[in-house]
Amino acid sequence: MPARPVSFDTLYAEHAEDVYVWAMRYAAGRSGWAEDITHDVFLKAWEHQTWLREEDVRGWLFRVTQNVAFSALRREKTFRQRIAELLFPSQPTQTESTPEKDLVRREAVRSATAALDRLPGQERVVMALKILDDLSQREIAQLLSLSEGYVSKLISRAHGRLSAGGWEVEDGTP
């Protein structure tokens, strides 16, 4: 008897909780992050539903969850590395690293990442594009299909929130 294709509704109903639990393993307790991974996994399942079969769907979902989570973690690491470079630019005459300096650096990066994470969605995106990607307001407006005035307003609000939280955006230091 040939293998039967899986209905997407059935697939989601039977496996959404498993995928979320698997994603939470990689999420370090961040439920929103795990929900995003779960969403991405089921988008991939939707794209591949015509060839998914009941017999192998659970293993496939596990592998896809793992791959999506690893990709997200790599992006997150890259994001933290860019913040670290902004806070602690490499200098040719840089002194030798010590455990104390490494701890200070990690804590500053953690604090900066947390400050950006607390911004509302649009402000976070605009600030990431401005600070991390060094885009102008005009480039951000074009990229996001927003007016330059609205981008300016979002940047101003984000500056205010970050400053209120102890972060000075211009030099990137707490």
Side-chain angles (χ1 to χ4, degrees):
M1 185 162 97
R4 294 183 341 209
V6 179
S7 138
F8 184 78
D9 293 336
T10 303
L11 175 79
Y12 185 82
E14 291 180 1
H15 298 285
E17 187 175 332
D18 290 336
V19 170
Y20 178 77
V21 168
W22 296 332
M24 278 297 284
R25 291 179 184 165
Y26 299 101
R30 298 176 292 172
S31 60
W33 194 88
E35 289 169 3
D36 289 346
I37 297 302
T38 302
H39 176 265
D40 292 349
V41 168
F42 281 101
L43 280 177
K44 289 190 180 298
W46 176 262
E47 293 169 0
H48 296 93
Q49 68 181 326
T50 57
W51 59 265
L52 285 175
R53 304 290 176 243
E54 286 181 22
E55 296 78 23
D56 60 354
V57 73
R58 185 173 166 82
W60 184 87
L61 286 170
F62 178 78
R63 285 188 307 278
V64 170
T65 302
Q66 189 175 44
N67 290 339
V68 170
F70 285 154
S71 293
L73 288 170
R74 275 192 296 277
R75 282 190 308 273
E76 194 172 272
K77 182 178 179 186
T78 301
F79 181 74
R80 285 193 183 121
Q81 288 169 337
R82 288 188 299 199
I83 290 175
E85 184 59 31
L86 284 169
L87 295 176
F88 305 97
S90 300
Q91 299 173 359
T93 59
Q94 190 173 9
T95 59
E96 188 174 314
S97 180
T98 66
E100 292 82 12
K101 288 180 183 177
D102 289 344
L103 178 63
V104 167
R105 178 184 167 137
R106 277 195 306 273
E107 288 301 318
V109 169
R110 219 176 265 132
S111 176
T113 303
L116 285 174
D117 284 344
R118 284 190 298 272
L119 291 175
Q122 280 190 316
E123 290 176 26
R124 184 178 339 129
V125 169
V126 167
M127 289 306 289
L129 291 170
K130 180 173 176 35
I131 296 171
L132 301 175
D133 295 324
D134 199 28
L135 296 180
S136 70
Q137 287 185 20
R138 175 170 285 151
E139 292 169 321
I140 294 168
Q142 289 172 345
L143 183 67
L144 300 177
S145 298
L146 300 172
S147 72
E148 286 184 54
Y150 188 60
V151 169
S152 178
K153 185 176 181 178
L154 290 171
I155 290 171
S156 178
R157 283 184 193 164
H159 273 275
R161 291 180 206 274
L162 291 171
S163 294
W167 279 93
E168 293 301 323
V169 177
E170 284 72 29
D171 66 4
T173 58

